Amino acid sequence: RHYTETELGPALFYRYDEDAVRLDTFLADRRDRLTLLDRLERVRQLAETLQYAHRQGVVHRALCPASIVVVHPDAARPQLRLRDWHAGFDVEATVGQTRAATRHADLLVDDPARCYLAPEALRAEPEDGARLDVFGFGVVAFHVLTGG
């Protein structure tokens, strides 16, 4: 992953990987083969990625298994990557400002993903973003640990 500042604000870049699969697909395909340690490793990777983004002042706001891909899913240690940062924003740049693209997350999140959103996500203020990510992280962690 690579963090950079652009004229539009901060950005996280990931290399495109053709064998990457969405987390929900990864879990469904391997439901009986994933051990508790495998599942905990996916949760740890997600937590570390969010921590990194939050330290850079970037939040996601729409975490769900469809916004997470597993790179090299058949490797001994598959890696998670977050995508679909279009609902996220730079926390410091939005405090005291209106950002239409992030204030209307309901237009940017697929319907199946809504069950992973905090109840206040669609009306939350920009400074609430990290808290929304923590909620989403908890719901995704539950999904990973219980097998969906």
Side-chain angles (χ1 to χ4, degrees), residues 15-119:
R15 186 181 73 243
Y16 176 74
D17 197 322
E18 291 183 14
D19 72 339
V21 297
R22 288 182 3 182
L23 179 62
D24 51 353
T25 302
F26 176 82
L27 294 171
D29 290 348
R30 292 159 180 80
R31 182 178 312 263
D32 298 329
R33 295 179 299 185
L34 290 175
T35 67
L36 178 59
L37 290 177
D38 293 331
R39 294 170 187 278
L40 287 170
E41 175 62 17
R42 303 299 80 75
V43 171
R44 182 194 61 76
Q45 288 177 11
L46 178 58
E48 288 178 353
T49 302
L50 279 176
Q51 179 184 39
Y52 177 81
H54 289 175
R55 284 186 176 163
Q56 303 305 319
V58 178
V59 296
H60 192 281
R61 288 181 56 118
L63 283 175
C64 70
S67 67
I68 303 166
V69 294
V70 181
V71 179
H72 309 299
D74 296 318
R77 296 194 67 198
Q79 297 295 310
L80 293 187
R81 293 189 184 154
L82 267 61
R83 63 180 195 155
D84 300 339
W85 290 88
H86 57 270
F89 56 86
D90 176 4
V91 175
E92 291 181 18
T94 58
V95 173
Q97 300 176 16
T98 300
R99 297 277 303 252
T102 60
R103 305 249 326 151
H104 302 289
D106 59 323
L107 301 175
L108 301 172
V109 179
D110 296 329
D111 283 343
R114 288 186 184 211
C115 66
Y116 293 88
L117 293 177

